Amino acid sequence: DARTLHACNHPPDAGARSDNVYPNSTAANAGRQAGQVILEINRHAVHSAQEAITLGASLPKDRNVLLLIRDGNGNHFVVIGTDDSQGSP
């Protein structure tokens, strides 16, 4: 949920961390978990929580979104849909 994104305690280009992922949302069903850091949205680097919110809001509602995520397993890509009524990344 974009409302729970905040900048991590990392360099400015380190992305934005999601503190919450709604259960049964598109993001949760795609494997997103709280605490993951969004580094890119559709190959656009995310430098802050505000940038992640802005990028997320500008996405077409009928297309999949490619996220580059960092978590305890390293960096990896996740594809999610944008038809989630509760919001996502």
Side-chain angles (χ1 to χ4, degrees):
D1 176 295
R3 294 168 295 184
T4 61
L5 289 173
H6 65 83
C8 298
N9 293 325
H10 298 287
D13 60 344
R17 186 176 69 213
S18 179
D19 286 334
N20 184 35
V21 176
Y22 289 113
N24 300 314
S25 67
T26 302
N29 293 338
R32 290 285 329 277
Q33 298 176 358
Q36 291 177 323
V37 178
I38 301 170
L39 300 173
E40 294 181 0
I41 299 175
N42 278 352
R43 306 298 286 189
H44 296 279
V46 172
H47 299 99
S48 68
Q50 186 58 50
E51 188 172 16
I53 292 166
T54 301
L55 282 169
S58 70
L59 297 170
K61 300 298 180 206
D62 59 348
R63 301 224 172 114
N64 288 335
V65 177
L66 179 66
L67 301 176
L68 177 59
I69 301 295
R70 181 177 58 225
D71 59 20
N73 296 317
N75 296 351
H76 52 95
F77 287 99
V78 176
V79 177
I80 64 170
T82 58
D83 61 345
D84 179 11
S85 62
Q86 296 188 46
S88 55

